[in-house]
C-alpha cells in the first residue's frame, strides 16, 4: 500500500520540483545580470545591451572605483550600526510583547493586539511626515536613533512571537509560578530558552528590512558621512544625471553580501522554527 502511494506521489513531486526550479531560475537571473554588468570594464560608459551572460572585458575596475574613496566602507559601518541596533531593540520589545499577549491576562488584551496589528495596514508614506516632525522635535534628526527606535513597534513580529508562544503549553507557566517565579522570571528562565529559532527568524527579517531601507534614511539623514549602503548605491550618477551602470551594480553586489551571510548563518534556525509548529497538541 505504501509503495502504491509513493508511486502516485512521484509525478506530483516532479511537477512541484519543475515549478520551483523555474521560479528559482527566474529569481536568480537578475543577480547574474548584476554580476555581469559589475564585471564589465566599460559598463559605466556603455552598459551591455541587449543583456547577455557573457562578460566581454572582465575587470574589477568598477569595484575599485567604488572602494577608492572609502565611502562604501563608511556606509557599511553606518548600516551595521543601524541594523544591529534595530535588531536588538526589535527582539527585546517583540519577544516581551508576544509573551505578554500569549500568556498574560489583562483587560483589553485583544483590543490592544488588534490596534497594534492595525498598524500593519497603515502605509509608511502616511506616517512619514508625523514621524519626521516627532523626531525633529526630539532633536533626533540626522541621528541613527531615528532609524533604530521605530523598530520598537512591529506588529508582524509581535503576531509571529505570540503564535509561537501559543504553541508552548500553558502548564509550563503554571509550573514555574508554583515554584515561586513571577512572570518576568518565568519568561527569562523558562520561555526564553525556547525562542532561539523564532529569534533567528526575527533577526533575519529585521536585519534585512533595516539594511535595505532607503526612503526613511533619505528623509531623516542629511549628513553624507552618515549615509547607509542603499543611500551610497543610489548616489552613483554622472553630472548630467545618467546612471553609472557598472559602479552601481558593483556597489549593489557588495551591498547584498551581509544579508546573504546572515541568512546562510541562521537559516537552519528558521527551519527549526517551522518544524516546531507541532509542539503543542
Amino acid at each position: 500500500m505504501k509503495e502504491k502511494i509513493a508511486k502516485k506521489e512521484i509525478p506530483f513531486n516532479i511537477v512541484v520540483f519543475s515549478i520551483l526550479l523555474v521560479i528559482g531560475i527566474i529569481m536568480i537571473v537578475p543577480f547574474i545580470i548584476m554580476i555581469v554588468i559589475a564585471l564589465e570594464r566599460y559598463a559605466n560608459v556603455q552598459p551591455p545591451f541587449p543583456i547577455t551572460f557573457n562578460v566581454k572585458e572582465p575587470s574589477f575596475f568598477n569595484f575599485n572605483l567604488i572602494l577608492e574613496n572609502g565611502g562604501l566602507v563608511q556606509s557599511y559601518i553606518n548600516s551595521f550600526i543601524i541594523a544591529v541596533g534595530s535588531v536588538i531593540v526589535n527582539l527585546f520589545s517583540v519577544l516581551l510583547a508576544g509573551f505578554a499577549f500569549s500568556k498574560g491576562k489583562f483587560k483589553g488584551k485583544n483590543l490592544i493586539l488588534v490596534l497594534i496589528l492595525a498598524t500593519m495596514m497603515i502605509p509608511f508614506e502616511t506616517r512619514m511626515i508625523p514621524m519626521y516632525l516627532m523626531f525633529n522635535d526630539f532633536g533626533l534628526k540626522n541621528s541613527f536613533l531615528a532609524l533604530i527606535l521605530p523598530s520598537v513597534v512591529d506588529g508582524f513580529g509581535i503576531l509571529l512571537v505570540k503564535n509561537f508562544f501559543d504553541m508552548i503549553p500553558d502548564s509550563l507557566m503554571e509550573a514555574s509560578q508554583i515554584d515561586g517565579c513571577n512572570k518576568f522570571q518565568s519568561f527569562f528562565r523558562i520561555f526564553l530558552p525556547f525562542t532561539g529559532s523564532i529569534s533567528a527568524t526575527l533577526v533575519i527579517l529585521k536585519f534585512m528590512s533595516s539594511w535595505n531601507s532607503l526612503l526613511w534614511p533619505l528623509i531623516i539623514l542629511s549628513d553624507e558621512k552618515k549615509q547607509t549602503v542603499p543611500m551610497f548605491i543610489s548616489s552613483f550618477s554622472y553630472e548630467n544625471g545618467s546612471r553609472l551602470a557598472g559602479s552601481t551594480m558593483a556597489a549593489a553586489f557588495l551591498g547584498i553580501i551581509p544579508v546573504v551571510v546572515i541568512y546562510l548563518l541562521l537559516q537552519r534556525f528558521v527551519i527549526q522554527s517551522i518544524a516546531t509548529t507541532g509542539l503543542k497538541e
Side-chain angles (χ1 to χ4, degrees):
M1 185 65 180
K2 292 182 179 180
E3 292 181 359
K4 290 182 179 180
I5 296 175
K7 288 181 180 180
K8 291 182 180 179
E9 290 180 351
I10 291 176
F12 175 77
N13 292 337
I14 293 175
V15 172
V16 172
F17 176 79
S18 301
I19 294 173
L20 293 177
L21 180 62
V22 172
I23 295 174
I25 293 174
I26 293 174
M27 294 182 66
I28 202 172
V29 164
F31 294 97
I32 297 176
I33 294 174
M34 176 182 65
I35 295 172
V36 170
I37 296 176
L39 293 175
E40 185 64 54
R41 172 64 174 81
Y42 297 103
N44 285 341
V45 180
Q46 185 64 42
F49 186 83
I51 299 297
T52 64
F53 298 102
N54 180 33
V55 183
K56 297 179 181 179
E57 296 188 36
S59 172
F60 288 103
F61 171 79
N62 294 315
F63 291 93
N64 294 331
L65 186 64
I66 63 172
L67 291 172
E68 63 182 5
N69 61 359
L72 181 62
V73 176
Q74 184 61 50
S75 299
Y76 253 81
I77 296 173
N78 297 339
S79 288
F80 265 114
I81 293 173
I82 296 169
V84 172
S86 298
V87 167
I88 294 173
V89 168
N90 183 258
L91 272 181
F92 180 78
S93 63
V94 165
L95 288 176
L96 283 174
F99 176 75
F101 284 115
S102 176
K103 304 303 180 184
K105 296 179 181 179
F106 52 91
K107 292 183 179 180
K109 181 175 74 171
N110 293 332
L111 176 61
I112 297 173
L113 180 61
V114 169
L115 291 176
I116 292 176
L117 296 180
T119 61
M120 298 170 57
M121 296 181 286
I122 303 176
F124 172 73
E125 289 76 11
T126 62
R127 296 179 283 122
M128 187 169 58
I129 296 177
M131 284 177 60
Y132 176 84
L133 295 175
M134 181 182 69
F135 283 113
N136 186 47
D137 291 341
F138 290 161
L140 296 178
K141 180 185 174 183
N142 198 34
S143 169
F144 290 160
L145 283 176
L147 299 172
I148 295 173
L149 292 180
S151 298
V152 171
V153 180
D154 181 2
F156 177 75
I158 292 173
L159 179 63
L160 197 66
V161 174
K162 177 188 177 300
N163 291 337
F164 177 81
F165 281 128
D166 284 344
M167 293 181 294
I168 299 178
D170 294 336
S171 57
L172 289 178
M173 171 68 87
E174 297 170 359
S176 64
Q177 290 177 341
I178 292 174
D179 290 337
C181 293
N182 57 38
K183 287 183 172 57
F184 280 101
Q185 291 173 330
S186 297
F187 172 75
F188 286 106
R189 295 181 180 180
I190 307 299
F191 289 90
L192 189 60
F194 286 104
T195 62
S197 56
I198 195 67
S199 295
T201 304
L202 292 170
V203 167
I204 292 175
L205 294 176
K206 179 50 62 175
F207 186 92
M208 183 171 59
S209 173
S210 177
W211 186 271
N212 293 331
S213 179
L214 176 60
L215 180 57
W216 182 235
L218 279 175
I219 294 171
I220 205 68
L221 296 179
S222 57
D223 189 350
E224 186 177 346
K225 294 182 179 179
K226 294 184 178 181
Q227 67 179 356
T228 61
V229 171
M231 294 173 64
F232 180 84
I233 295 173
S234 67
S235 65
F236 283 102
S237 63
Y238 282 121
E239 292 182 359
N240 60 8
S242 61
R243 179 64 63 186
L244 294 171
S247 298
T248 302
M249 292 299 102
F253 174 77
L254 295 176
I256 65 173
I257 290 177
V259 177
V260 174
V261 171
I262 290 293
Y263 176 77
L264 292 177
L265 290 175
L266 300 179
Q267 64 172 337
R268 65 187 183 94
F269 296 105
V270 177
I271 296 173
Q272 288 177 9
S273 69
I274 298 173
T276 55
T277 53
L279 179 62
K280 184 176 181 179
E281 298 181 355

